[in-house]
Amino acid sequence: MTEETNDATILSSPRPAANLVVKQGPQIGILFPVTANTIVLGREETCDIIIQDAEASRRHSRITWEDNDFFLSDMNSTNGTFINGMQIIAPTRLKPGDSIGVGQTLLTFELDAEKTAQAEYEPPAEAAPVAPPPASGEAVAASVRTGDSGKSKKWLLIGCGCLIFACACIALALVALDLTDILDLGIPVLSDYNILF
C-alpha cells in the first residue's frame, strides 16, 4: 500500500534553481536568478528580467518551467531570440550552459541542482557595470551569433546606393557642362581646357 501511495503522490519534481548570467552586452557579469515558473525578459520596466539593450524588444522572450524542464520562447520580438546562435521559432528546451541571445546581449543558462528556487529576485543596482567595447573580431562573431548580419547588409546596400547616386550626379553635371559648349552660351567648359575624356 505504501508503494502505491508514493507513486501516486509524485507528480513532478521541484523546480531547480536556475540563473541567467550576462556574458556579453551592457550588463556583463550580472546574474539574474530565475525564481518563478514564468519569467519575461525584455527592456520594459514591467519585465521580470530587464535587459538594458536597445536591440532587445520591450517584451522579448519568456522562460517557463513546464513538464520538469525549462523552455525559452520568443514573444514576437523584432530581432528574434537565439539559443546557441540558432534563432528559435517555437518554445525550445533549455539545457545548462545554453547561450541565449537577446538583441546584442548574450546570457548563459545555468542550473544549480543543490538549491531549490526559493530565493527572491533582486533587481540589479541602478548603476550597472559598463562593459568595454569588444574587439573588432569579437563584434563580428557576436553579430553572427545573434543574427544581426541583416542590418550590416542593409547599411552596406545603402552606402553603395549613395555612392552610385553621387557618381550619377557628377556624370550628369559633366554632360550638362558639355551641352553649354554646344549651345554656345559663352560659359567655359572642360573641353575648352584641352582635357580629354
Side-chain angles (χ1 to χ4, degrees):
M1 178 99 180
T2 44
E3 290 178 2
E4 292 175 22
T5 307
N6 287 341
D7 290 341
T9 56
I10 298 175
L11 298 176
S12 66
S13 62
R15 177 176 50 83
N19 298 309
L20 295 176
V21 181
V22 181
K23 297 295 186 177
Q24 177 183 314
Q27 296 166 293
I28 193 165
I30 294 180
L31 180 137
F32 294 105
V34 177
T35 59
N37 289 340
T38 301
I39 298 286
V40 176
L41 292 82
R43 283 182 322 176
E44 196 170 78
E45 294 292 322
T46 60
C47 291
D48 300 300
I49 295 178
I50 300 169
I51 305 294
Q52 297 172 354
D53 184 336
E55 299 291 320
S57 293
R58 289 184 187 107
R59 296 177 59 80
H60 197 98
S61 55
R62 176 186 306 124
I63 295 176
T64 55
W65 171 254
E66 300 173 13
D67 301 323
N68 296 327
D69 275 317
F70 285 98
F71 289 88
L72 178 68
S73 56
D74 185 71
M75 297 178 71
N76 296 321
S77 64
T78 303
N79 295 322
T81 301
F82 297 81
I83 295 180
N84 300 325
M86 302 295 293
Q87 186 169 7
I88 62 170
I89 55 174
T92 305
R93 188 171 76 83
L94 284 170
K95 299 179 296 288
D98 278 349
S99 176
I100 300 170
V102 175
Q104 293 293 315
T105 301
L106 286 178
L107 306 108
T108 299
F109 178 73
E110 297 177 347
L111 283 183
D112 188 351
E114 296 177 10
K115 295 181 182 177
T116 58
Q118 295 175 353
E120 289 194 25
Y121 170 70
E122 294 181 24
E126 293 203 14
V130 178
S136 61
E138 292 173 354
V140 170
S143 70
V144 170
R145 282 193 306 266
T146 58
D148 66 345
S149 61
K151 289 185 178 185
S152 300
K153 289 178 186 176
K154 175 182 144 185
W155 286 109
L156 180 65
L157 290 174
I158 290 172
C160 289
C162 290
L163 184 62
I164 291 170
F165 179 74
C167 290
C169 288
I170 291 171
L172 286 174
L174 291 173
V175 169
L177 285 174
D178 202 33
L179 287 177
T180 58
D181 188 37
I182 295 171
L183 299 174
D184 198 25
L185 298 175
I187 300 172
V189 293
L190 292 177
S191 59
D192 293 339
Y193 300 106
N194 294 326
I195 298 174
L196 299 175
F197 292 101

